[in-house]
mmCIF file of all heavy atoms in Angstrom:
data_model
loop_
_atom_site.group_PDB
_atom_site.id
_atom_site.type_symbol
_atom_site.label_atom_id
_atom_site.label_comp_id
_atom_site.label_asym_id
_atom_site.label_seq_id
_atom_site.Cartn_x
_atom_site.Cartn_y
_atom_site.Cartn_z
ATOM 1 N N LEU A 259 -3.243 2.733 1.858
ATOM 2 C CA LEU A 259 -2.020 3.456 1.839
ATOM 3 C C LEU A 259 -2.183 4.770 1.091
ATOM 4 O O LEU A 259 -1.747 5.759 1.583
ATOM 5 C CB LEU A 259 -0.929 2.622 1.121
ATOM 6 C CG LEU A 259 0.434 3.224 0.907
ATOM 7 C CD1 LEU A 259 1.066 3.736 2.139
ATOM 8 C CD2 LEU A 259 1.305 2.349 0.092
ATOM 9 N N ILE A 260 -2.790 4.773 -0.069
ATOM 10 C CA ILE A 260 -2.999 5.989 -0.819
ATOM 11 C C ILE A 260 -3.780 6.973 -0.071
ATOM 12 O O ILE A 260 -3.423 8.175 -0.061
ATOM 13 C CB ILE A 260 -3.580 5.638 -2.193
ATOM 14 C CG1 ILE A 260 -2.644 4.872 -3.118
ATOM 15 C CG2 ILE A 260 -4.137 6.956 -2.934
ATOM 16 C CD1 ILE A 260 -3.166 4.224 -4.341
ATOM 17 N N ASN A 261 -4.898 6.573 0.515
ATOM 18 C CA ASN A 261 -5.716 7.523 1.283
ATOM 19 C C ASN A 261 -4.990 8.082 2.476
ATOM 20 O O ASN A 261 -5.095 9.187 2.796
ATOM 21 C CB ASN A 261 -7.035 6.863 1.714
ATOM 22 C CG ASN A 261 -7.978 6.682 0.461
ATOM 23 O OD1 ASN A 261 -8.034 7.536 -0.422
ATOM 24 N ND2 ASN A 261 -8.659 5.559 0.536
ATOM 25 N N LEU A 262 -4.221 7.205 3.194
ATOM 26 C CA LEU A 262 -3.457 7.718 4.355
ATOM 27 C C LEU A 262 -2.388 8.775 3.852
ATOM 28 O O LEU A 262 -2.144 9.782 4.516
ATOM 29 C CB LEU A 262 -2.732 6.610 4.990
ATOM 30 C CG LEU A 262 -3.501 5.765 6.002
ATOM 31 C CD1 LEU A 262 -2.654 4.626 6.494
ATOM 32 C CD2 LEU A 262 -3.910 6.621 7.197
ATOM 33 N N LEU A 263 -1.729 8.509 2.728
ATOM 34 C CA LEU A 263 -0.707 9.471 2.191
ATOM 35 C C LEU A 263 -1.303 10.813 1.931
ATOM 36 O O LEU A 263 -0.827 11.828 2.339
ATOM 37 C CB LEU A 263 -0.130 8.864 0.895
ATOM 38 C CG LEU A 263 0.871 7.745 1.153
ATOM 39 C CD1 LEU A 263 1.155 6.935 -0.059
ATOM 40 C CD2 LEU A 263 2.181 8.230 1.799
ATOM 41 N N PHE A 264 -2.484 10.830 1.114
ATOM 42 C CA PHE A 264 -3.160 12.127 0.887
ATOM 43 C C PHE A 264 -3.464 12.837 2.197
ATOM 44 O O PHE A 264 -3.222 14.096 2.256
ATOM 45 C CB PHE A 264 -4.431 11.982 0.017
ATOM 46 C CG PHE A 264 -4.130 11.567 -1.428
ATOM 47 C CD1 PHE A 264 -4.691 10.541 -2.108
ATOM 48 C CD2 PHE A 264 -3.320 12.484 -2.150
ATOM 49 C CE1 PHE A 264 -4.417 10.307 -3.388
ATOM 50 C CE2 PHE A 264 -3.132 12.220 -3.544
ATOM 51 C CZ PHE A 264 -3.665 11.179 -4.117
ATOM 52 N N GLN A 265 -4.082 12.078 3.105
ATOM 53 C CA GLN A 265 -4.572 12.738 4.311
ATOM 54 C C GLN A 265 -3.387 13.274 5.199
ATOM 55 O O GLN A 265 -3.341 14.451 5.550
ATOM 56 C CB GLN A 265 -5.320 11.726 5.145
ATOM 57 C CG GLN A 265 -5.755 12.218 6.535
ATOM 58 C CD GLN A 265 -6.290 11.123 7.423
ATOM 59 O OE1 GLN A 265 -6.155 9.951 7.088
ATOM 60 N NE2 GLN A 265 -6.993 11.527 8.472
ATOM 61 N N ARG A 266 -2.394 12.417 5.435
ATOM 62 C CA ARG A 266 -1.270 12.849 6.384
ATOM 63 C C ARG A 266 -0.344 13.893 5.658
ATOM 64 O O ARG A 266 0.171 14.820 6.370
ATOM 65 C CB ARG A 266 -0.517 11.687 6.776
ATOM 66 C CG ARG A 266 -1.294 10.898 7.828
ATOM 67 C CD ARG A 266 -0.448 9.876 8.535
ATOM 68 N NE ARG A 266 -1.259 9.002 9.321
ATOM 69 C CZ ARG A 266 -1.009 7.730 9.653
ATOM 70 N NH1 ARG A 266 0.153 7.204 9.311
ATOM 71 N NH2 ARG A 266 -1.845 7.051 10.463
ATOM 72 N N ILE A 267 -0.108 13.716 4.411
ATOM 73 C CA ILE A 267 0.707 14.707 3.791
ATOM 74 C C ILE A 267 0.147 16.062 3.769
ATOM 75 O O ILE A 267 0.817 17.094 4.010
ATOM 76 C CB ILE A 267 1.175 14.247 2.294
ATOM 77 C CG1 ILE A 267 2.041 13.079 2.467
ATOM 78 C CG2 ILE A 267 1.871 15.444 1.565
ATOM 79 C CD1 ILE A 267 2.369 12.378 1.117
ATOM 80 N N GLU A 268 -1.125 16.216 3.583
ATOM 81 C CA GLU A 268 -1.872 17.504 3.646
ATOM 82 C C GLU A 268 -1.795 18.007 5.058
ATOM 83 O O GLU A 268 -1.416 19.194 5.368
ATOM 84 C CB GLU A 268 -3.325 17.322 3.233
ATOM 85 C CG GLU A 268 -4.021 18.728 3.305
ATOM 86 C CD GLU A 268 -5.432 18.619 2.807
ATOM 87 O OE1 GLU A 268 -5.975 17.549 2.598
ATOM 88 O OE2 GLU A 268 -6.067 19.754 2.622
ATOM 89 N N THR A 269 -2.177 17.127 6.088
ATOM 90 C CA THR A 269 -2.212 17.597 7.490
ATOM 91 C C THR A 269 -0.838 17.888 8.065
ATOM 92 O O THR A 269 -0.741 18.990 8.715
ATOM 93 C CB THR A 269 -2.853 16.485 8.338
ATOM 94 O OG1 THR A 269 -4.178 16.222 7.837
ATOM 95 C CG2 THR A 269 -2.980 16.869 9.771
ATOM 96 N N GLU A 270 0.151 17.091 7.817
ATOM 97 C CA GLU A 270 1.402 17.187 8.467
ATOM 98 C C GLU A 270 2.478 18.060 7.661
ATOM 99 O O GLU A 270 3.373 18.614 8.203
ATOM 100 C CB GLU A 270 1.997 15.836 8.767
ATOM 101 C CG GLU A 270 1.131 15.049 9.758
ATOM 102 C CD GLU A 270 1.632 13.643 9.948
ATOM 103 O OE1 GLU A 270 2.833 13.335 9.634
ATOM 104 O OE2 GLU A 270 0.827 12.791 10.490
ATOM 105 N N ILE A 271 2.302 18.072 6.357
ATOM 106 C CA ILE A 271 3.316 18.774 5.482
ATOM 107 C C ILE A 271 2.679 20.007 4.843
ATOM 108 O O ILE A 271 3.346 20.975 4.541
ATOM 109 C CB ILE A 271 3.952 17.797 4.438
ATOM 110 C CG1 ILE A 271 4.369 16.560 5.070
ATOM 111 C CG2 ILE A 271 4.969 18.497 3.647
ATOM 112 C CD1 ILE A 271 5.548 16.724 6.094
ATOM 113 N N GLY A 272 1.339 19.963 4.634
ATOM 114 C CA GLY A 272 0.638 21.113 3.954
ATOM 115 C C GLY A 272 0.621 21.085 2.439
ATOM 116 O O GLY A 272 0.272 22.114 1.858
ATOM 117 N N ILE A 273 0.850 19.941 1.966
ATOM 118 C CA ILE A 273 0.796 19.778 0.435
ATOM 119 C C ILE A 273 -0.604 19.248 0.095
ATOM 120 O O ILE A 273 -1.039 18.214 0.671
ATOM 121 C CB ILE A 273 1.807 18.806 -0.158
ATOM 122 C CG1 ILE A 273 3.264 19.291 0.176
ATOM 123 C CG2 ILE A 273 1.674 18.707 -1.692
ATOM 124 C CD1 ILE A 273 4.354 18.311 -0.257
ATOM 125 N N LEU A 274 -1.337 20.023 -0.644
ATOM 126 C CA LEU A 274 -2.717 19.626 -0.959
ATOM 127 C C LEU A 274 -2.687 18.445 -1.862
ATOM 128 O O LEU A 274 -1.914 18.236 -2.668
ATOM 129 C CB LEU A 274 -3.417 20.756 -1.574
ATOM 130 C CG LEU A 274 -3.540 22.074 -0.753
ATOM 131 C CD1 LEU A 274 -4.185 23.163 -1.572
ATOM 132 C CD2 LEU A 274 -4.369 21.792 0.496
ATOM 133 N N PRO A 275 -3.879 17.591 -1.754
ATOM 134 C CA PRO A 275 -3.972 16.450 -2.587
ATOM 135 C C PRO A 275 -3.855 16.690 -4.057
ATOM 136 O O PRO A 275 -3.298 15.766 -4.762
ATOM 137 C CB PRO A 275 -5.356 15.781 -2.190
ATOM 138 C CG PRO A 275 -5.524 16.318 -0.797
ATOM 139 C CD PRO A 275 -4.945 17.623 -0.714
ATOM 140 N N ASN A 276 -4.336 17.806 -4.514
ATOM 141 C CA ASN A 276 -4.125 18.146 -5.975
ATOM 142 C C ASN A 276 -2.759 18.236 -6.431
ATOM 143 O O ASN A 276 -2.466 18.109 -7.589
ATOM 144 C CB ASN A 276 -4.882 19.458 -6.225
ATOM 145 C CG ASN A 276 -5.090 19.657 -7.717
ATOM 146 O OD1 ASN A 276 -5.648 18.785 -8.349
ATOM 147 N ND2 ASN A 276 -4.698 20.830 -8.164
ATOM 148 N N ASP A 277 -1.780 18.369 -5.489
ATOM 149 C CA ASP A 277 -0.322 18.523 -5.846
ATOM 150 C C ASP A 277 0.338 17.205 -5.536
ATOM 151 O O ASP A 277 1.623 17.232 -5.558
ATOM 152 C CB ASP A 277 0.268 19.676 -5.060
ATOM 153 C CG ASP A 277 0.083 20.945 -5.655
ATOM 154 O OD1 ASP A 277 -0.044 21.094 -6.882
ATOM 155 O OD2 ASP A 277 0.065 22.038 -4.929
#
Side-chain angles (χ1 to χ4, degrees):
L259 174 61
I260 289 169
N261 287 323
L262 279 173
L263 288 161
F264 282 128
Q265 176 190 15
R266 287 192 186 157
I267 292 172
E268 180 177 14
T269 302
E270 297 176 18
I271 308 298
I273 301 175
L274 298 176
N276 194 53
D277 276 331

